[in-house]
Amino acid sequence: MVQYFDEISPSLGKWIERQHVFWVATAPLSGDGHVNVSPKGGEGMFHIVNPRQVWYEDLTGSGVETVSHLRENGRITVMFNAFEGPPRILRLYGRGTVYEFSTPEFNALVPPESRKPGTRSIILVDVHKVGTSCGYAVPFFDFKAHRNRLLTWAAKKEALDVNAEAHTGFSTLVEGMKRYWATKNLESLDGLTGLTCAPYAEDGFAVNKEAIAYKPDNEKVKNQRAYFNGALVQGGLKIMIGFSLGVAAASFYLRKSH
């Protein structure tokens, strides 16, 4: 039987902390926009601040629907369900706020030493209603383990940024995490704004064991630096040539008019 509450009770909070996966649902205001449902997992990703506020680490993905929808309208539902023990479905209805990597709010909740590789933002949810229902049709599943593939991929991406910044001063010269954000996470399927500052953040990523173990291609780094410097030189020459031609044309016109 469905029940509704104004906040997360202590018993429900303890039950939430034992779950290994949850789902997040958001949607744009447009009637023909894409409704999004995203599965979330990972140890230590979901946090209960108090009975009416929760947050989770938003890991990097190929899409940015949740972030975009929250920027537009703030509506969000977080759902948990029991795969073992007594059946239960729990929904947290609320308003979500996005705090991107490198912002003060992000850094306050996720210090560099505890940030998971690939975390691009935190999603903070102010809960205004809690709903529980039976979940009788949800099957039993035995939890085996968390997948580490996304974290490993993200750590390698961030290692590219760490090494590029150390050797060239520019992380955007390599196919690292910040470039991935800049090419994949700037807008939603419906063209709504996604990430706005994380791709261009001056903050670097914490050095992890994957970054230390990674050996950069020094020749590639050298070529990237040379390309960047060459682009600057070419740009400067073009400006100088254009300016000189402009001065010559102006002088010729003035002489002719006199």
Side-chain angles (χ1 to χ4, degrees):
M1 180 178 178
V2 65
Q3 292 182 292
Y4 293 106
F5 311 94
D6 293 329
E7 59 185 31
I8 304 168
S9 68
S11 61
L12 289 178
K14 292 179 180 178
W15 180 82
I16 287 173
E17 291 172 350
R18 294 196 299 270
Q19 306 313 306
H20 301 294
V21 63
F22 60 98
W23 284 261
V24 174
T26 58
L29 293 177
S30 171
D32 57 358
H34 293 77
V35 177
N36 186 67
V37 180
S38 294
K40 306 292 181 181
E43 188 174 4
M45 302 298 290
F46 192 87
H47 306 268
I48 299 176
V49 180
N50 58 53
R52 296 194 177 194
Q53 192 174 74
V54 300
W55 66 274
Y56 68 88
E57 287 190 52
D58 175 42
L59 297 178
T60 298
S62 56
V64 70
E65 300 301 293
T66 301
V67 169
S68 297
H69 296 164
L70 293 182
R71 288 199 188 284
E72 185 200 40
N73 59 69
R75 300 175 302 173
I76 187 170
T77 298
V78 182
M79 189 185 79
F80 296 83
N81 59 265
F83 288 116
E84 59 184 12
R88 172 182 282 163
I89 295 173
L90 181 145
R91 294 179 178 87
L92 304 177
Y93 303 93
R95 307 289 295 183
T97 305
V98 180
Y99 294 114
E100 292 184 45
F101 169 80
S102 84
T103 61
E105 296 85 355
F106 179 96
N107 293 335
L109 289 173
V110 188
E113 63 273 12
S114 63
R115 173 183 170 273
K116 301 287 192 305
T119 300
R120 61 189 176 185
S121 71
I122 60 169
I123 306 298
L124 182 72
V125 181
D126 292 306
V127 178
H128 59 74
K129 186 184 291 292
V130 178
T132 60
S133 54
C134 64
Y136 289 166
V138 177
F140 286 103
F141 280 102
D142 292 326
F143 175 71
K144 186 175 182 180
H146 288 292
R147 297 180 189 270
N148 293 320
R149 187 167 181 174
L150 180 59
L151 297 179
T152 301
W153 170 85
K156 291 178 179 179
K157 281 283 188 186
E158 292 181 6
L160 291 171
D161 286 294
V162 170
N163 283 286
E165 288 172 357
H167 289 83
T168 69
F170 300 96
S171 66
T172 53
L173 294 178
V174 297
E175 295 292 335
M177 186 58 73
K178 290 181 181 178
R179 177 177 281 191
Y180 187 89
W181 290 341
T183 56
K184 300 287 188 179
N185 292 168
L186 294 187
E187 63 178 33
S188 72
L189 290 171
D190 301 307
L192 299 176
T193 301
L195 298 183
T196 59
C197 60
Y200 319 108
E202 293 184 1
D203 290 6
F205 300 118
V207 178
N208 50 55
K209 62 181 181 180
E210 287 85 359
I212 294 172
Y214 174 76
K215 301 297 184 183
D217 184 337
N218 290 326
E219 189 64 30
K220 185 176 182 180
V221 169
K222 187 189 300 181
N223 291 338
Q224 289 169 340
R225 186 190 293 118
Y227 174 82
F228 183 78
N229 291 335
L232 288 178
V233 171
Q234 284 188 345
L237 287 174
K238 288 179 180 178
I239 293 173
M240 292 177 63
I241 292 171
F243 179 77
S244 299
L245 290 174
V247 171
S251 299
F252 176 77
Y253 175 78
L254 289 173
R255 286 199 303 270
K256 188 175 181 180
S257 62
H258 284 74

